[in-house]
C-alpha cells in the first residue's frame, strides 16, 4: 500500500523546531499532549507532551511535543518524541480533513489516495526515524516505508475551537511493505493547540493569537 502524498506532507511537518514543557492547560496554553498504546509485531506506549512550534525549515529533536495546524481547511495533528535508540525520533500524525465540530470520524484512506485533503482522514506512526537523515534531505518513499499507516478505525473529536482540539482515537495500522501484520493502536488521546496558520507565521507570527469561540462539547 502506497502512503498518500498528503499523509507524507503531514508526516514531514512533524520535523519542526520544538520547545518542551509540561502537561496541557486551558484553551490558550501552547503546550499539547498526545498518547496511545500499540501492540502487534511491535509493542509499547507512546506519549508526547510539550509545545510544538511550526517553523518550516527549522529542526530540533524534542524530548516530546504535540500540536496541530491547518493547511487550508485541513486539520493536521502532529507529535514527536525522542526514540529509544540514540539519535532517533518517533513521529505520529493524524490528518483529520476539514473537521470543525465534535463528533466521530472514520479514517478515510480512499480520500487520501484521491488527493482530497478536505475529507482525507488517516494516521501515520513512524518510530525510530534517524535524526541525521531527517536533518538533511529525507527521501519521502524511504520515510514512508518505515511508517505504520492507520487505515481502519476512527477519531472522536470531543471538543474543538479555533485554538484547540481534544479527542480520542483507535484503529489498526500497517506498514506499506507488510500489510498482513497490523499493529493495534488503542487508548489514543490528544489535547493540542491549533496553530494559527503557517502562511501567517503561526501562533507567534504577526497576527498573534487569534480569538476563537469557546470549545464545543
Amino acid at each position: 500500500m502506497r502512503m498518500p502524498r498528503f499523509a507524507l506532507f503531514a508526516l514531514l511537518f512533524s520535523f519542526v523546531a520544538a520547545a518542551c514543557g509540561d502537561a496541557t492547560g486551558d484553551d490558550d496554553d501552547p503546550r499539547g499532549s498526545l498518547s496511545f498504546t500499540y501492540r502487534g509485531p511491535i509493542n509499547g506506549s507512546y506519549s508526547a507532551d510539550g509545545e510544538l512550534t511550526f517553523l518550516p525549515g527549522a529542526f530540533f529533536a524534542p524530548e516530546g511535543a504535540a500540536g496541530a495546524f491547518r493547511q487550508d481547511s485541513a486539520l493536521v495533528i502532529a507529535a514527536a518524541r525522542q526514540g529509544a535508540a540514540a539519535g532517533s525520533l518517533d513521529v505520529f500524525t493524524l490528518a483529520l480533513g476539514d473537521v470543525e465540530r465534535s463528533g466521530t470520524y472514520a479514517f478515510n484512506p480512499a480520500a487520501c489516495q484521491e488527493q482530497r485533503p478536505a475529507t482525507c482522514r488517516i494516521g501515520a506512526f513512524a518510530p525510530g526515524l534517524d535524526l541525521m537523515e531527517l536533518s538533511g534531505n529525507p527521501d519521502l518513499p524511504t520515510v514512508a516505508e518505515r511508517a505504520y499507516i492507520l487505515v481502519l478505525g476512527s477519531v472522536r473529536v470531543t471538543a474543538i475551537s479555533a485554538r484547540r482540539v481534544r479527542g480520542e482515537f483507535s484503529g489498526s495500522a500497517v506498514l506499506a511493505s507488510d500489510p498482513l501484520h497490523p499493529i493495534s493502536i488503542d487508548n489514543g488521546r490528544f489535547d493540542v493547540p491549533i496553530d494559527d496558520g503557517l502562511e501567517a507565521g503561526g501562533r507567534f507570527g504577526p497576527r498573534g493569537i487569534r480569538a476563537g469561540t469557546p470549545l464545543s462539547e
Side-chain angles (χ1 to χ4, degrees):
M1 183 183 65
R2 201 166 44 86
M3 187 178 185
R5 278 181 286 173
F6 185 74
L8 275 173
F9 166 81
L11 180 67
L12 289 178
F13 260 99
S14 299
F15 311 145
V16 297
C20 301
D22 297 322
T24 59
D26 60 25
D27 203 18
D28 292 324
D29 194 331
R31 297 167 296 177
S33 66
L34 185 146
S35 62
F36 60 90
T37 59
Y38 54 96
R39 55 188 174 85
I42 60 173
N43 299 275
S45 60
Y46 184 98
S47 181
D49 300 272
E51 181 182 347
L52 192 62
T53 304
F54 295 97
L55 297 174
F59 182 80
F60 177 70
E63 292 181 6
F69 65 91
R70 284 195 184 273
Q71 179 66 19
D72 298 324
S73 64
L75 181 65
V76 177
I77 297 171
R81 70 172 188 182
Q82 290 182 350
S88 68
L89 189 70
D90 299 337
V91 172
F92 182 82
T93 62
L94 282 174
L96 298 184
D98 60 357
V99 59
E100 294 182 348
R101 64 185 65 189
S102 57
T104 300
Y105 301 88
F107 290 121
N108 185 8
C112 306
Q113 294 284 1
E114 296 166 4
Q115 305 299 312
R116 293 187 282 118
T119 53
C120 170
R121 298 187 178 96
I122 200 168
F125 174 39
L129 297 178
D130 183 79
L131 286 174
M132 292 298 293
E133 179 182 352
L134 297 175
S135 297
N137 185 22
D139 180 68
L140 295 187
T142 300
V143 173
E145 286 295 318
R146 303 172 189 167
Y148 289 86
I149 310 303
L150 264 164
V151 293
L152 295 176
S154 63
V155 177
R156 186 168 77 93
V157 176
T158 57
I160 187 169
S161 74
R163 294 176 296 184
R164 199 167 197 91
V165 60
R166 301 180 180 118
E168 305 167 347
F169 60 94
S170 63
S172 296
V174 296
L175 286 172
S177 60
D178 189 15
L180 299 181
H181 297 90
I183 62 171
S184 176
I185 291 181
D186 299 297
N187 305 310
R189 293 180 175 83
F190 56 86
D191 179 356
V192 295
I194 300 174
D195 193 272
D196 289 316
L198 299 178
E199 294 83 1
R203 176 177 296 274
F204 302 107
R207 288 187 302 176
I209 297 178
R210 183 173 58 190
T213 57
L215 284 171
S216 61
E217 302 292 348

